[in-house]
PDB file of all heavy atoms in Angstrom:
ATOM      1  N   THR H   1      93.894 106.795 101.314  1.00 78.00           N
ATOM      2  CA  THR H   1      94.511 106.150 102.473  1.00 78.00           C
ATOM      3  C   THR H   1      94.842 104.689 102.225  1.00 78.00           C
ATOM      4  O   THR H   1      95.629 104.104 102.955  1.00 78.00           O
ATOM      5  CB  THR H   1      93.582 106.230 103.701  1.00 78.00           C
ATOM      6  OG1 THR H   1      92.350 105.582 103.374  1.00 78.00           O
ATOM      7  CG2 THR H   1      93.340 107.661 104.101  1.00 78.00           C
ATOM      8  N   GLY H   2      94.230 104.077 101.218  1.00 79.00           N
ATOM      9  CA  GLY H   2      94.523 102.687 100.931  1.00 79.00           C
ATOM     10  C   GLY H   2      94.023 101.715 101.974  1.00 79.00           C
ATOM     11  O   GLY H   2      94.645 100.696 102.226  1.00 79.00           O
ATOM     12  N   LEU H   3      92.895 101.998 102.593  1.00 83.00           N
ATOM     13  CA  LEU H   3      92.377 101.115 103.633  1.00 83.00           C
ATOM     14  C   LEU H   3      91.173 100.290 103.205  1.00 83.00           C
ATOM     15  O   LEU H   3      90.846  99.302 103.839  1.00 83.00           O
ATOM     16  CB  LEU H   3      92.000 101.929 104.876  1.00 83.00           C
ATOM     17  CG  LEU H   3      93.179 102.472 105.661  1.00 83.00           C
ATOM     18  CD1 LEU H   3      92.694 103.395 106.767  1.00 83.00           C
ATOM     19  CD2 LEU H   3      93.988 101.338 106.241  1.00 83.00           C
ATOM     20  N   GLY H   4      90.507 100.659 102.122  1.00 90.00           N
ATOM     21  CA  GLY H   4      89.255 100.007 101.739  1.00 90.00           C
ATOM     22  C   GLY H   4      89.360  98.510 101.535  1.00 90.00           C
ATOM     23  O   GLY H   4      88.608  97.738 102.140  1.00 90.00           O
ATOM     24  N   LEU H   5      90.272  98.050 100.690  1.00 93.00           N
ATOM     25  CA  LEU H   5      90.377  96.617 100.433  1.00 93.00           C
ATOM     26  C   LEU H   5      90.983  95.869 101.608  1.00 93.00           C
ATOM     27  O   LEU H   5      90.649  94.711 101.855  1.00 93.00           O
ATOM     28  CB  LEU H   5      91.176  96.354  99.152  1.00 93.00           C
ATOM     29  CG  LEU H   5      90.416  96.660  97.872  1.00 93.00           C
ATOM     30  CD1 LEU H   5      91.327  96.499  96.658  1.00 93.00           C
ATOM     31  CD2 LEU H   5      89.203  95.767  97.727  1.00 93.00           C
ATOM     32  N   SER H   6      91.856  96.520 102.360  1.00 93.00           N
ATOM     33  CA  SER H   6      92.427  95.884 103.547  1.00 93.00           C
ATOM     34  C   SER H   6      91.342  95.598 104.584  1.00 93.00           C
ATOM     35  O   SER H   6      91.267  94.501 105.147  1.00 93.00           O
ATOM     36  CB  SER H   6      93.510  96.782 104.151  1.00 93.00           C
ATOM     37  OG  SER H   6      93.979  96.245 105.361  1.00 93.00           O
ATOM     38  N   ILE H   7      90.490  96.581 104.817  1.00 95.00           N
ATOM     39  CA  ILE H   7      89.389  96.401 105.771  1.00 95.00           C
ATOM     40  C   ILE H   7      88.403  95.371 105.252  1.00 95.00           C
ATOM     41  O   ILE H   7      87.931  94.509 106.000  1.00 95.00           O
ATOM     42  CB  ILE H   7      88.706  97.747 106.063  1.00 95.00           C
ATOM     43  CG1 ILE H   7      89.657  98.644 106.855  1.00 95.00           C
ATOM     44  CG2 ILE H   7      87.391  97.547 106.808  1.00 95.00           C
ATOM     45  CD1 ILE H   7      89.197 100.082 106.999  1.00 95.00           C
ATOM     46  N   SER H   8      88.096  95.415 103.959  1.00 95.00           N
ATOM     47  CA  SER H   8      87.189  94.421 103.372  1.00 95.00           C
ATOM     48  C   SER H   8      87.738  93.018 103.547  1.00 95.00           C
ATOM     49  O   SER H   8      87.007  92.089 103.905  1.00 95.00           O
ATOM     50  CB  SER H   8      86.982  94.708 101.882  1.00 95.00           C
ATOM     51  OG  SER H   8      86.390  95.957 101.699  1.00 95.00           O
ATOM     52  N   TYR H   9      89.033  92.845 103.308  1.00 96.00           N
ATOM     53  CA  TYR H   9      89.675  91.542 103.448  1.00 96.00           C
ATOM     54  C   TYR H   9      89.547  91.038 104.889  1.00 96.00           C
ATOM     55  O   TYR H   9      89.198  89.885 105.121  1.00 96.00           O
ATOM     56  CB  TYR H   9      91.149  91.639 103.044  1.00 96.00           C
ATOM     57  CG  TYR H   9      91.856  90.314 103.053  1.00 96.00           C
ATOM     58  CD1 TYR H   9      91.792  89.474 101.948  1.00 96.00           C
ATOM     59  CD2 TYR H   9      92.577  89.883 104.154  1.00 96.00           C
ATOM     60  CE1 TYR H   9      92.422  88.249 101.941  1.00 96.00           C
ATOM     61  CE2 TYR H   9      93.217  88.657 104.170  1.00 96.00           C
ATOM     62  CZ  TYR H   9      93.134  87.849 103.058  1.00 96.00           C
ATOM     63  OH  TYR H   9      93.756  86.630 103.065  1.00 96.00           O
ATOM     64  N   GLN H  10      89.810  91.924 105.861  1.00 96.00           N
ATOM     65  CA  GLN H  10      89.710  91.529 107.269  1.00 96.00           C
ATOM     66  C   GLN H  10      88.290  91.117 107.636  1.00 96.00           C
ATOM     67  O   GLN H  10      88.083  90.139 108.351  1.00 96.00           O
ATOM     68  CB  GLN H  10      90.167  92.665 108.177  1.00 96.00           C
ATOM     69  CG  GLN H  10      91.655  92.878 108.151  1.00 96.00           C
ATOM     70  CD  GLN H  10      92.066  94.050 109.022  1.00 96.00           C
ATOM     71  OE1 GLN H  10      91.271  94.957 109.291  1.00 96.00           O
ATOM     72  NE2 GLN H  10      93.310  94.032 109.458  1.00 96.00           N
ATOM     73  N   ILE H  11      87.316  91.862 107.156  1.00 96.00           N
ATOM     74  CA  ILE H  11      85.922  91.540 107.481  1.00 96.00           C
ATOM     75  C   ILE H  11      85.542  90.181 106.902  1.00 96.00           C
ATOM     76  O   ILE H  11      84.971  89.333 107.600  1.00 96.00           O
ATOM     77  CB  ILE H  11      84.967  92.636 106.965  1.00 96.00           C
ATOM     78  CG1 ILE H  11      85.163  93.912 107.774  1.00 96.00           C
ATOM     79  CG2 ILE H  11      83.512  92.168 107.019  1.00 96.00           C
ATOM     80  CD1 ILE H  11      84.460  95.132 107.197  1.00 96.00           C
ATOM     81  N   VAL H  12      85.860  89.956 105.635  1.00 96.00           N
ATOM     82  CA  VAL H  12      85.472  88.705 104.977  1.00 96.00           C
ATOM     83  C   VAL H  12      86.216  87.511 105.572  1.00 96.00           C
ATOM     84  O   VAL H  12      85.617  86.475 105.866  1.00 96.00           O
ATOM     85  CB  VAL H  12      85.717  88.791 103.444  1.00 96.00           C
ATOM     86  CG1 VAL H  12      85.547  87.434 102.784  1.00 96.00           C
ATOM     87  CG2 VAL H  12      84.779  89.803 102.816  1.00 96.00           C
ATOM     88  N   THR H  13      87.535  87.639 105.764  1.00 96.00           N
ATOM     89  CA  THR H  13      88.334  86.484 106.203  1.00 96.00           C
ATOM     90  C   THR H  13      88.340  86.303 107.714  1.00 96.00           C
ATOM     91  O   THR H  13      88.062  85.217 108.207  1.00 96.00           O
ATOM     92  CB  THR H  13      89.778  86.586 105.687  1.00 96.00           C
ATOM     93  OG1 THR H  13      90.399  87.757 106.201  1.00 96.00           O
ATOM     94  CG2 THR H  13      89.810  86.602 104.174  1.00 96.00           C
ATOM     95  N   ASP H  14      88.670  87.361 108.464  1.00 96.00           N
ATOM     96  CA  ASP H  14      88.806  87.225 109.916  1.00 96.00           C
ATOM     97  C   ASP H  14      87.464  87.146 110.626  1.00 96.00           C
ATOM     98  O   ASP H  14      87.269  86.305 111.502  1.00 96.00           O
ATOM     99  CB  ASP H  14      89.608  88.391 110.494  1.00 96.00           C
ATOM    100  CG  ASP H  14      91.047  88.424 109.993  1.00 96.00           C
ATOM    101  OD1 ASP H  14      91.513  87.407 109.434  1.00 96.00           O
ATOM    102  OD2 ASP H  14      91.695  89.480 110.154  1.00 96.00           O
ATOM    103  N   LYS H  15      86.556  88.017 110.272  1.00 95.00           N
ATOM    104  CA  LYS H  15      85.270  88.083 110.981  1.00 95.00           C
ATOM    105  C   LYS H  15      84.290  86.998 110.557  1.00 95.00           C
ATOM    106  O   LYS H  15      83.473  86.554 111.344  1.00 95.00           O
ATOM    107  CB  LYS H  15      84.612  89.453 110.777  1.00 95.00           C
ATOM    108  CG  LYS H  15      85.440  90.614 111.236  1.00 95.00           C
ATOM    109  CD  LYS H  15      85.565  90.657 112.734  1.00 95.00           C
ATOM    110  CE  LYS H  15      86.342  91.913 113.136  1.00 95.00           C
ATOM    111  NZ  LYS H  15      86.722  91.896 114.527  1.00 95.00           N
ATOM    112  N   HIS H  16      84.360  86.579 109.273  1.00 94.00           N
ATOM    113  CA  HIS H  16      83.365  85.634 108.759  1.00 94.00           C
ATOM    114  C   HIS H  16      83.950  84.318 108.279  1.00 94.00           C
ATOM    115  O   HIS H  16      83.209  83.436 107.843  1.00 94.00           O
ATOM    116  CB  HIS H  16      82.568  86.282 107.619  1.00 94.00           C
ATOM    117  CG  HIS H  16      81.776  87.470 108.073  1.00 94.00           C
ATOM    118  ND1 HIS H  16      80.626  87.358 108.831  1.00 94.00           N
ATOM    119  CD2 HIS H  16      81.982  88.799 107.900  1.00 94.00           C
ATOM    120  CE1 HIS H  16      80.151  88.556 109.094  1.00 94.00           C
ATOM    121  NE2 HIS H  16      80.953  89.455 108.552  1.00 94.00           N
ATOM    122  N   GLY H  17      85.275  84.163 108.320  1.00 94.00           N
ATOM    123  CA  GLY H  17      85.888  82.903 107.908  1.00 94.00           C
ATOM    124  C   GLY H  17      85.791  82.626 106.417  1.00 94.00           C
ATOM    125  O   GLY H  17      85.862  81.480 105.987  1.00 94.00           O
ATOM    126  N   GLY H  18      85.635  83.662 105.624  1.00 96.00           N
ATOM    127  CA  GLY H  18      85.490  83.491 104.180  1.00 96.00           C
ATOM    128  C   GLY H  18      86.794  83.717 103.435  1.00 96.00           C
ATOM    129  O   GLY H  18      87.878  83.718 104.021  1.00 96.00           O
ATOM    130  N   ASN H  19      86.665  83.924 102.144  1.00 96.00           N
ATOM    131  CA  ASN H  19      87.809  84.164 101.275  1.00 96.00           C
ATOM    132  C   ASN H  19      87.530  85.368 100.399  1.00 96.00           C
ATOM    133  O   ASN H  19      86.406  85.564  99.926  1.00 96.00           O
ATOM    134  CB  ASN H  19      88.063  82.962 100.352  1.00 96.00           C
ATOM    135  CG  ASN H  19      88.440  81.730 101.125  1.00 96.00           C
ATOM    136  OD1 ASN H  19      89.423  81.720 101.847  1.00 96.00           O
ATOM    137  ND2 ASN H  19      87.648  80.683 100.988  1.00 96.00           N
ATOM    138  N   LEU H  20      88.560  86.156 100.140  1.00 97.00           N
ATOM    139  CA  LEU H  20      88.480  87.280  99.218  1.00 97.00           C
ATOM    140  C   LEU H  20      89.729  87.223  98.355  1.00 97.00           C
ATOM    141  O   LEU H  20      90.845  87.295  98.859  1.00 97.00           O
ATOM    142  CB  LEU H  20      88.411  88.611  99.977  1.00 97.00           C
ATOM    143  CG  LEU H  20      88.397  89.901  99.154  1.00 97.00           C
ATOM    144  CD1 LEU H  20      87.267  89.903  98.135  1.00 97.00           C
ATOM    145  CD2 LEU H  20      88.276  91.110 100.068  1.00 97.00           C
ATOM    146  N   ARG H  21      89.522  87.020  97.050  1.00 97.00           N
ATOM    147  CA  ARG H  21      90.656  86.866  96.133  1.00 97.00           C
ATOM    148  C   ARG H  21      90.494  87.812  94.955  1.00 97.00           C
ATOM    149  O   ARG H  21      89.387  88.168  94.582  1.00 97.00           O
ATOM    150  CB  ARG H  21      90.732  85.437  95.593  1.00 97.00           C
ATOM    151  CG  ARG H  21      91.022  84.389  96.637  1.00 97.00           C
ATOM    152  CD  ARG H  21      91.138  83.004  96.048  1.00 97.00           C
ATOM    153  NE  ARG H  21      89.882  82.591  95.440  1.00 97.00           N
ATOM    154  CZ  ARG H  21      89.781  82.045  94.228  1.00 97.00           C
ATOM    155  NH1 ARG H  21      90.840  81.820  93.502  1.00 97.00           N
ATOM    156  NH2 ARG H  21      88.615  81.681  93.752  1.00 97.00           N
ATOM    157  N   CYS H  22      91.626  88.149  94.365  1.00 97.00           N
ATOM    158  CA  CYS H  22      91.637  88.961  93.166  1.00 97.00           C
ATOM    159  C   CYS H  22      92.419  88.222  92.091  1.00 97.00           C
ATOM    160  O   CYS H  22      93.530  87.748  92.332  1.00 97.00           O
ATOM    161  CB  CYS H  22      92.288  90.318  93.437  1.00 97.00           C
ATOM    162  SG  CYS H  22      92.429  91.327  91.954  1.00 97.00           S
ATOM    163  N   ILE H  23      91.824  88.120  90.921  1.00 96.00           N
ATOM    164  CA  ILE H  23      92.481  87.512  89.767  1.00 96.00           C
ATOM    165  C   ILE H  23      92.534  88.587  88.689  1.00 96.00           C
ATOM    166  O   ILE H  23      91.497  89.138  88.316  1.00 96.00           O
ATOM    167  CB  ILE H  23      91.710  86.279  89.269  1.00 96.00           C
ATOM    168  CG1 ILE H  23      91.634  85.234  90.371  1.00 96.00           C
ATOM    169  CG2 ILE H  23      92.340  85.718  88.004  1.00 96.00           C
ATOM    170  CD1 ILE H  23      90.670  84.114  90.095  1.00 96.00           C
ATOM    171  N   SER H  24      93.731  88.907  88.231  1.00 96.00           N
ATOM    172  CA  SER H  24      93.862  89.949  87.229  1.00 96.00           C
ATOM    173  C   SER H  24      95.106  89.721  86.396  1.00 96.00           C
ATOM    174  O   SER H  24      96.125  89.253  86.899  1.00 96.00           O
ATOM    175  CB  SER H  24      93.944  91.328  87.894  1.00 96.00           C
ATOM    176  OG  SER H  24      93.990  92.350  86.913  1.00 96.00           O
ATOM    177  N   ALA H  25      95.008  90.041  85.141  1.00 92.00           N
ATOM    178  CA  ALA H  25      96.147  89.987  84.227  1.00 92.00           C
ATOM    179  C   ALA H  25      96.020  91.158  83.270  1.00 92.00           C
ATOM    180  O   ALA H  25      94.908  91.548  82.887  1.00 92.00           O
ATOM    181  CB  ALA H  25      96.172  88.667  83.470  1.00 92.00           C
ATOM    182  N   LEU H  26      97.152  91.719  82.881  1.00 94.00           N
ATOM    183  CA  LEU H  26      97.122  92.845  81.955  1.00 94.00           C
ATOM    184  C   LEU H  26      96.373  92.479  80.690  1.00 94.00           C
ATOM    185  O   LEU H  26      96.513  91.376  80.165  1.00 94.00           O
ATOM    186  CB  LEU H  26      98.546  93.284  81.625  1.00 94.00           C
ATOM    187  CG  LEU H  26      99.290  93.969  82.769  1.00 94.00           C
ATOM    188  CD1 LEU H  26     100.731  94.267  82.366  1.00 94.00           C
ATOM    189  CD2 LEU H  26      98.587  95.255  83.192  1.00 94.00           C
ATOM    190  N   GLU H  27      95.546  93.391  80.236  1.00 94.00           N
ATOM    191  CA  GLU H  27      94.735  93.240  79.026  1.00 94.00           C
ATOM    192  C   GLU H  27      93.660  92.160  79.124  1.00 94.00           C
ATOM    193  O   GLU H  27      93.071  91.786  78.119  1.00 94.00           O
ATOM    194  CB  GLU H  27      95.615  92.985  77.786  1.00 94.00           C
ATOM    195  CG  GLU H  27      96.696  94.018  77.565  1.00 94.00           C
ATOM    196  CD  GLU H  27      96.154  95.438  77.443  1.00 94.00           C
ATOM    197  OE1 GLU H  27      95.078  95.639  76.870  1.00 94.00           O
ATOM    198  OE2 GLU H  27      96.833  96.357  77.940  1.00 94.00           O
ATOM    199  N   GLN H  28      93.404  91.634  80.329  1.00 94.00           N
ATOM    200  CA  GLN H  28      92.400  90.582  80.479  1.00 94.00           C
ATOM    201  C   GLN H  28      91.366  90.889  81.551  1.00 94.00           C
ATOM    202  O   GLN H  28      90.563  90.027  81.895  1.00 94.00           O
ATOM    203  CB  GLN H  28      93.081  89.248  80.769  1.00 94.00           C
ATOM    204  CG  GLN H  28      93.941  88.781  79.616  1.00 94.00           C
ATOM    205  CD  GLN H  28      94.507  87.394  79.836  1.00 94.00           C
ATOM    206  OE1 GLN H  28      93.995  86.624  80.653  1.00 94.00           O
ATOM    207  NE2 GLN H  28      95.543  87.072  79.120  1.00 94.00           N
ATOM    208  N   GLY H  29      91.394  92.079  82.120  1.00 96.00           N
ATOM    209  CA  GLY H  29      90.399  92.430  83.118  1.00 96.00           C
ATOM    210  C   GLY H  29      90.753  91.941  84.504  1.00 96.00           C
ATOM    211  O   GLY H  29      91.836  91.410  84.744  1.00 96.00           O
ATOM    212  N   THR H  30      89.805  92.144  85.409  1.00 97.00           N
ATOM    213  CA  THR H  30      90.004  91.815  86.820  1.00 97.00           C
ATOM    214  C   THR H  30      88.746  91.152  87.372  1.00 97.00           C
ATOM    215  O   THR H  30      87.643  91.518  87.001  1.00 97.00           O
ATOM    216  CB  THR H  30      90.314  93.093  87.617  1.00 97.00           C
ATOM    217  OG1 THR H  30      91.504  93.693  87.099  1.00 97.00           O
ATOM    218  CG2 THR H  30      90.499  92.812  89.094  1.00 97.00           C
ATOM    219  N   GLU H  31      88.941  90.189  88.259  1.00 97.00           N
ATOM    220  CA  GLU H  31      87.824  89.543  88.960  1.00 97.00           C
ATOM    221  C   GLU H  31      88.118  89.541  90.448  1.00 97.00           C
ATOM    222  O   GLU H  31      89.239  89.248  90.858  1.00 97.00           O
ATOM    223  CB  GLU H  31      87.652  88.081  88.515  1.00 97.00           C
ATOM    224  CG  GLU H  31      87.167  87.896  87.125  1.00 97.00           C
ATOM    225  CD  GLU H  31      86.915  86.431  86.795  1.00 97.00           C
ATOM    226  OE1 GLU H  31      87.016  85.560  87.688  1.00 97.00           O
ATOM    227  OE2 GLU H  31      86.616  86.150  85.640  1.00 97.00           O
ATOM    228  N   PHE H  32      87.100  89.842  91.234  1.00 97.00           N
ATOM    229  CA  PHE H  32      87.158  89.670  92.684  1.00 97.00           C
ATOM    230  C   PHE H  32      86.201  88.543  93.031  1.00 97.00           C
ATOM    231  O   PHE H  32      85.063  88.533  92.574  1.00 97.00           O
ATOM    232  CB  PHE H  32      86.761  90.950  93.420  1.00 97.00           C
ATOM    233  CG  PHE H  32      87.844  91.989  93.427  1.00 97.00           C
ATOM    234  CD1 PHE H  32      87.917  92.940  92.429  1.00 97.00           C
ATOM    235  CD2 PHE H  32      88.790  92.006  94.443  1.00 97.00           C
ATOM    236  CE1 PHE H  32      88.915  93.897  92.431  1.00 97.00           C
ATOM    237  CE2 PHE H  32      89.801  92.953  94.456  1.00 97.00           C
ATOM    238  CZ  PHE H  32      89.860  93.903  93.449  1.00 97.00           C
ATOM    239  N   HIS H  33      86.671  87.593  93.827  1.00 97.00           N
ATOM    240  CA  HIS H  33      85.853  86.464  94.276  1.00 97.00           C
ATOM    241  C   HIS H  33      85.676  86.600  95.791  1.00 97.00           C
ATOM    242  O   HIS H  33      86.655  86.638  96.532  1.00 97.00           O
ATOM    243  CB  HIS H  33      86.527  85.125  93.971  1.00 97.00           C
ATOM    244  CG  HIS H  33      86.718  84.881  92.511  1.00 97.00           C
ATOM    245  ND1 HIS H  33      86.144  83.826  91.870  1.00 97.00           N
ATOM    246  CD2 HIS H  33      87.381  85.564  91.564  1.00 97.00           C
ATOM    247  CE1 HIS H  33      86.465  83.862  90.590  1.00 97.00           C
ATOM    248  NE2 HIS H  33      87.232  84.914  90.375  1.00 97.00           N
ATOM    249  N   ILE H  34      84.433  86.662  96.214  1.00 97.00           N
ATOM    250  CA  ILE H  34      84.094  86.750  97.626  1.00 97.00           C
ATOM    251  C   ILE H  34      83.340  85.471  97.971  1.00 97.00           C
ATOM    252  O   ILE H  34      82.323  85.160  97.352  1.00 97.00           O
ATOM    253  CB  ILE H  34      83.217  87.980  97.919  1.00 97.00           C
ATOM    254  CG1 ILE H  34      83.894  89.244  97.406  1.00 97.00           C
ATOM    255  CG2 ILE H  34      82.919  88.072  99.409  1.00 97.00           C
ATOM    256  CD1 ILE H  34      82.953  90.429  97.295  1.00 97.00           C
ATOM    257  N   GLU H  35      83.850  84.754  98.947  1.00 96.00           N
ATOM    258  CA  GLU H  35      83.186  83.515  99.392  1.00 96.00           C
ATOM    259  C   GLU H  35      82.897  83.600 100.867  1.00 96.00           C
ATOM    260  O   GLU H  35      83.708  84.053 101.643  1.00 96.00           O
ATOM    261  CB  GLU H  35      84.080  82.307  99.135  1.00 96.00           C
ATOM    262  CG  GLU H  35      84.414  82.118  97.682  1.00 96.00           C
ATOM    263  CD  GLU H  35      85.460  81.038  97.469  1.00 96.00           C
ATOM    264  OE1 GLU H  35      86.406  80.929  98.273  1.00 96.00           O
ATOM    265  OE2 GLU H  35      85.316  80.300  96.493  1.00 96.00           O
TER     266      GLU H  35
END
């Protein structure tokens, strides 16, 4: 359904005033930053 990260983003940013970011580049892996 593609709702997991959308809901996570809303909870972190809207409900708690935080930040949720994704940093990724081909052949270099992926990082998620939750603040």
Side-chain angles (χ1 to χ4, degrees):
T1 59
L3 288 173
L5 286 175
S6 174
I7 291 170
S8 298
Y9 185 85
Q10 288 178 336
I11 291 169
V12 170
T13 61
D14 296 345
K15 302 291 184 191
H16 297 286
N19 296 301
L20 177 55
R21 295 182 297 133
C22 176
I23 300 168
S24 184
L26 289 176
E27 306 303 323
Q28 296 186 20
T30 300
E31 291 185 6
F32 283 91
H33 297 241
I34 306 164
E35 299 172 322

